[in-house]
Amino acid sequence: MRLVSLRSTIAQPALAWLAFGLLLGTVLGTAASQLRPTDRLVVGGTGRTLSVLLVTDRAEVLIGGGTDPNDAADFVDRSTVPWQRPLELLVVPAWDPEHVPGALGIIERGNVHSIVVWGEAGNQPAWTVLERRARTAGVSLEWIRETAVIPIDATTRLVLQALPDGGAICLERGELRIVIVDTAGERPSRACRQSAATISLRRAITPEARFLVRPRPLRASELASGAPYEVQLERGERLTVRLQDGELRLPLGALLNDPRRVLGPHSTSSGTTDR
C-alpha cells in the first residue's frame, strides 16, 4: 500500500510537468508560426539613400547600404529576427561610393555571408577599404560589371542591369516585377517591363512609374515625379511590402495620394494594395 501511495505521489508531479511541457510547446509553436518570415520587401531610409531588404523562406538579401555606417545595420536588425541573420547576400551599387559606409557597417556587425559589388566602380579609396574589410572578416566579395541573374528561390530572381550613370535591378517573382533603381540618369522603364513598382535608392531620379518609393525630396526640382502614387521615406523610416500570391501589398496609409484612386483601375493582380 505504501508502495502504491509513493508511486502516486511521484506520478502526480510528473503528469503536471508533462502537461506544462505540452502547453509550453503549444505556445512556443504558435509564437514561432507567427514569427515565421513571410515573403516581403522592406524599404528603409539609410542616410541619404534607401536600401531594400528582400526576405523569403530561402534567403535574405540587402540591396544598397547607405551613407551612414550604422543605418543599414540597424535597418537589418529592426527588419529581421535573429535566425534570419547573417544575410545571405549584400548587393552594393558601384556607381559611386555612397553605399560603402553602410556596407562596412554590415560587415563589422557580422551581418552578411557574401557581397556583390554591382557595376563599374571608380578609383576612390573606399572600394579598397571595402575589399580589405570583407577579406579580414572572411566575407566573400565578387564584382559584377555586366548583366547578371541571381536566383533567390524557385520563383524569385534578381536581374542586374547596367544603365547610363547607374543601373537597375529587376526583382522577378512569378508574374510580379519590381524595379530597384540606383541611377541619376536614364529613366528605368525599359529595365523591367510591366513592373508593378519602382524603388529609387536616390533622391535625384524621378522616374515615370505606376507606384514609386523614393527618399523624401530636398529640392523643389525633385518634388514632381511621373508616378500617380508614391511613398517618400526619410532616414530611419521603413515601408514593408508583402509579396503574396504574385501580388504586391502595402499599407494604404503610407501612400501620399488619394487611396480611392489606388483602388480604382490601377488595382490589378500584379499590383494590389492592401492595409
Side-chain angles (χ1 to χ4, degrees), residues 8-127:
S8 256
T9 305
I10 294 174
Q12 287 176 2
L15 289 173
W17 278 108
L18 177 60
F20 176 75
L22 291 173
L23 178 61
L24 180 63
T26 302
V27 171
L28 291 177
T30 303
S33 67
Q34 295 296 323
L35 292 173
R36 187 186 312 160
T38 56
D39 291 354
R40 64 190 186 276
L41 279 179
V42 187
V43 187
T46 49
R48 296 187 301 272
T49 68
L50 299 185
S51 294
V52 179
L53 177 66
L54 169 64
V55 179
T56 74
D57 287 335
R58 294 294 183 89
E60 295 78 37
V61 179
L62 180 67
I63 301 169
T67 56
D68 185 277
N70 296 317
D71 283 3
D74 291 342
F75 168 56
V76 169
D77 289 346
R78 293 169 57 202
S79 305
T80 58
V81 289
W83 56 82
Q84 294 172 326
R85 301 188 293 268
L87 305 174
E88 291 297 324
L89 179 65
L90 168 62
V91 181
V92 183
W95 324 114
D96 58 45
E98 244 191 334
H99 292 282
V100 172
L104 293 174
I106 292 287
I107 294 172
E108 289 172 0
R109 287 204 197 177
N111 265 1
V112 66
H113 286 301
S114 59
I115 297 174
V116 163
V117 180
W118 156 50
E120 192 71 45
N123 296 321
Q124 297 93 337
W127 299 109

Side-chain angles (χ1 to χ4, degrees), residues 148 151 190 213:
R190 69 177 181 83
V213 183

Side-chain angles (χ1 to χ4, degrees), residues 44-234:
T46 49
R48 296 187 301 272
T49 68
L50 299 185
S51 294
V52 179
L53 177 66
L54 169 64
V55 179
T56 74
D57 287 335
R58 294 294 183 89
E60 295 78 37
V61 179
L62 180 67
I63 301 169
T67 56
D68 185 277
N70 296 317
D71 283 3
D74 291 342
F75 168 56
V76 169
D77 289 346
R78 293 169 57 202
S79 305
T80 58
V81 289
W83 56 82
Q84 294 172 326
R85 301 188 293 268
L87 305 174
E88 291 297 324
L89 179 65
L90 168 62
V91 181
V92 183
W95 324 114
D96 58 45
E98 244 191 334
H99 292 282
V100 172
L104 293 174
I106 292 287
I107 294 172
E108 289 172 0
R109 287 204 197 177
N111 265 1
V112 66
H113 286 301
S114 59
I115 297 174
V116 163
V117 180
W118 156 50
E120 192 71 45
N123 296 321
Q124 297 93 337
W127 299 109
T128 302
V129 172
L130 179 64
E131 286 185 314
R132 289 177 179 173
R133 294 278 181 86
R135 190 182 310 117
T136 300
V139 176
S140 67
L141 188 148
E142 180 181 357
W143 293 80
I144 294 181
R145 296 178 173 86
E146 299 179 353
T147 299
V149 177
I150 301 177
I152 304 300
D153 56 36
T155 61
T156 309
R157 68 177 191 166
L158 302 176
V159 182
L160 281 61
Q161 306 171 56
L163 297 172
D165 302 318
I169 293 179
C170 187
L171 167 61
E172 300 179 355
R173 179 181 170 83
E175 298 298 320
L176 178 65
R177 301 287 186 273
I178 298 174
V179 60
I180 301 167
V181 187
D182 189 84
T183 174
E186 178 179 336
R187 297 183 185 275
S189 56
R190 69 177 181 83
C192 196
R193 294 189 177 185
Q194 297 181 337
S195 61
T198 297
I199 301 172
S200 177
L201 302 188
R202 298 173 188 260
R203 288 191 180 94
I205 187 171
T206 55
E208 293 179 356
R210 180 168 142 199
F211 168 64
L212 173 65
V213 183
R214 61 171 174 159
R216 191 173 301 280
L218 295 181
R219 296 187 291 269
S221 60
E222 298 172 356
L223 290 176
S225 74
Y229 315 108
E230 69 176 270
V231 173
Q232 298 175 0
L233 298 177
E234 293 185 345

